[in-house]
Amino acid sequence: MKRSPGLRTLSSEHHTALVLARRAALAAAGDSGREVAKVWSEVVQRFEAELEPHFHREETLLLPALMKVGEKGIVERTLAEHAQLRSLVHERVRDAESLQLIADLLKAHIRFEERVLFEIAQLRLPEFDLAMPY
């Protein structure tokens, strides 16, 4: 579905996160411990530089606006998945199995946001704009 102008930036950021999830899944499925370590490093760096700011915008702008219109369930799910991704990225165990877990969760989370969260936001918050305080 075409995204409303207020959600386009968040939606376009999902593409780069999906690329990262695919890269993580491929590294996790491979035989190279060196590649797993390299991709883990990339995941941590890009999480801090790209995903954390993305989560922050959702958590401070979009989710409070959705909470105000009674969308508690999807807000709680989004926050729980953000917390789970943060926890996985900051764990000390950085093996292929945990890299695959991050890849799977990140992909599922993005699909949820695109197919459910943003669809509901467009219906319930037709005038939503990331630049406006809510």
Side-chain angles (χ1 to χ4, degrees), residues 14-117:
H14 284 159
H15 174 73
T16 58
L18 283 172
V19 170
L20 180 62
R22 178 162 167 67
R23 184 157 159 65
L26 289 171
D31 292 332
S32 171
R34 173 177 259 157
E35 185 65 12
V36 167
K38 179 180 169 185
V39 174
W40 251 113
S41 179
E42 181 183 353
V43 165
V44 171
Q45 185 275 324
R46 290 185 59 193
F47 185 87
E48 295 301 324
E50 299 167 19
L51 295 172
E52 191 60 57
H54 175 92
F55 289 177
H56 180 75
R57 284 192 308 282
E58 288 177 343
E59 291 169 0
T60 59
L61 300 171
L62 180 60
L63 299 181
L66 283 168
M67 189 65 95
K68 283 183 184 179
V69 297
E71 295 295 343
K72 183 180 179 186
I74 63 169
V75 168
E76 288 176 346
R77 176 176 171 178
T78 303
L79 290 170
E81 289 179 5
H82 286 182
Q84 189 176 9
L85 282 161
R86 284 180 177 116
S87 177
L88 287 170
V89 167
H90 293 99
E91 279 187 9
R92 293 181 191 256
V93 176
R94 295 198 172 158
D95 57 10
E97 184 178 332
S98 56
L99 189 60
Q100 184 64 56
L101 190 56
I102 285 178
D104 293 343
L105 181 57
L106 185 56
K107 182 179 174 184
H109 176 69
I110 291 166
R111 297 289 184 227
F112 163 73
E113 285 193 350
E114 288 292 332
R115 294 175 181 164
V116 179
L117 182 73

